[in-house]
Amino acid sequence: NAGVTQTPKFRILKIGQSMTLQCTQDMNHNYMYWYRQDPGMGLKLIYYSVGAGITDKGEVPNGYNVSRSTTEDFPLRLELAAPSQTSVYFCASSQIADEKLFFGSGTQLSVL
Amino acid sequence: QKEVEQNSGPLSVPEGAIASLNCTYSDRGSQSFFWYRQYSGKSPELIMFIYSNGDKEDGRFTAQLNKASQYVSLLIRDSQPSDSATYLCAVSSGGSYIPTFGRGTSLIVHP
């Protein structure tokens, strides 16, 4: 039972580089989310999606982009990486009207 | 802006004691309340949810909700060292399906 799978687990980027964080879920959940977590802080919502083809900004969307072409996949794109994007990124999913989030194992990203 | 406040701690309790974790929220329209446990270096895991005023018990965990005071708490009875983790409170408004998280409270259970 895979649940929510995130790749990679760790990544170091140089300033200005770009990358895509992958997220896939096998629970047929409609809602998917991307959060970032800085040390000692809670989870900040970056983007979310309520279904294939539908995405919307969260609290901290600047510097990121998303797409949702299938129910299963919700990749997060970082363009022109900056040190402020050093963080742990979590992808999550939930059923409609459920609001109970299932999280992936996270990606630890450092931008140097 | 919807806010969820938690004391960052750490809250230190002896093994076998009751740990009490508290959370307040700003949006009076909030209808769904969740507690997630996050071990160091791991992802959050849902452990409790509550929708109605009062208490909800699940094993050693009890969630308490008081909507009038905009307050939700988590009690852990017979605390064990394995309960040592950060506990995140999450709140969502009716129909939004987008929970807002607090900063989390670090709990340390010492033998």
Side-chain angles (χ1 to χ4, degrees):
Chain A
N1 219 9
V4 180
T5 302
Q6 285 184 243
T7 56
K9 293 191 183 302
F10 304 93
R11 184 72 185 266
I12 298 174
L13 284 181
K14 294 181 179 179
I15 295 172
Q17 287 186 320
S18 301
M19 75 164 294
T20 298
L21 280 64
Q22 302 291 344
C23 176
T24 186
Q25 52 92 9
D26 63 359
M27 297 175 284
N28 201 32
H29 285 171
N30 288 86
Y31 278 65
M32 295 189 74
Y33 314 78
W34 275 106
Y35 287 92
R36 62 176 285 172
Q37 186 175 40
D38 299 321
M41 304 295 287
L43 296 163
K44 300 292 186 184
L45 183 65
I46 305 172
Y47 272 95
Y48 67 97
S49 169
V50 302
I54 306 170
T55 63
D56 207 348
K57 296 177 181 179
E59 186 180 359
V60 289
N62 291 343
Y64 308 95
N65 276 301
V66 294
S67 60
R68 183 98 180 268
S69 57
T70 67
T71 299
E72 295 78 19
D73 300 308
F74 189 40
L76 177 71
R77 178 79 176 167
L78 278 71
E79 304 282 2
L80 298 175
S84 60
Q85 293 178 304
T86 293
S87 189
V88 179
Y89 292 83
F90 289 104
C91 178
S93 71
S94 69
Q95 284 277 20
I96 292 177
D98 186 274
E99 299 172 307
K100 300 169 188 172
L101 271 59
F102 290 83
F103 286 86
S105 58
T107 296
Q108 186 169 331
L109 175 68
S110 295
V111 182
L112 305 175
Chain B
Q1 184 169 346
K2 301 172 185 176
E3 294 183 349
V4 177
E5 300 289 341
Q6 293 182 258
N7 188 323
S8 61
L11 173 66
S12 182
V13 300
E15 185 174 356
I18 296 175
S20 178
L21 305 163
N22 304 316
C23 172
T24 59
Y25 57 94
S26 63
D27 183 7
R28 285 197 169 273
S30 299
Q31 296 191 7
S32 303
F33 307 86
F34 307 88
W35 284 98
Y36 289 81
R37 178 177 61 200
Q38 185 176 25
Y39 291 115
S40 180
K42 302 296 185 182
S43 57
E45 172 193 18
L46 180 67
I47 56 171
M48 287 291 287
F49 57 92
I50 187 168
Y51 303 127
S52 304
N53 275 332
D55 295 359
K56 178 181 179 182
E57 186 174 319
D58 184 1
R60 295 187 296 113
F61 299 101
T62 298
Q64 299 177 316
L65 175 60
N66 184 326
K67 289 186 178 180
S69 299
Q70 296 177 243
Y71 178 96
V72 59
S73 64
L74 177 70
L75 301 179
I76 306 174
R77 291 183 301 281
D78 189 25
S79 295
Q80 300 297 309
S82 59
D83 295 324
S84 298
T86 295
Y87 290 80
L88 300 166
C89 174
V91 176
S92 67
S93 302
S96 77
Y97 311 123
I98 310 297
T100 299
F101 284 82
R103 289 188 172 191
T105 297
S106 174
L107 173 66
I108 299 172
V109 181
H110 53 87

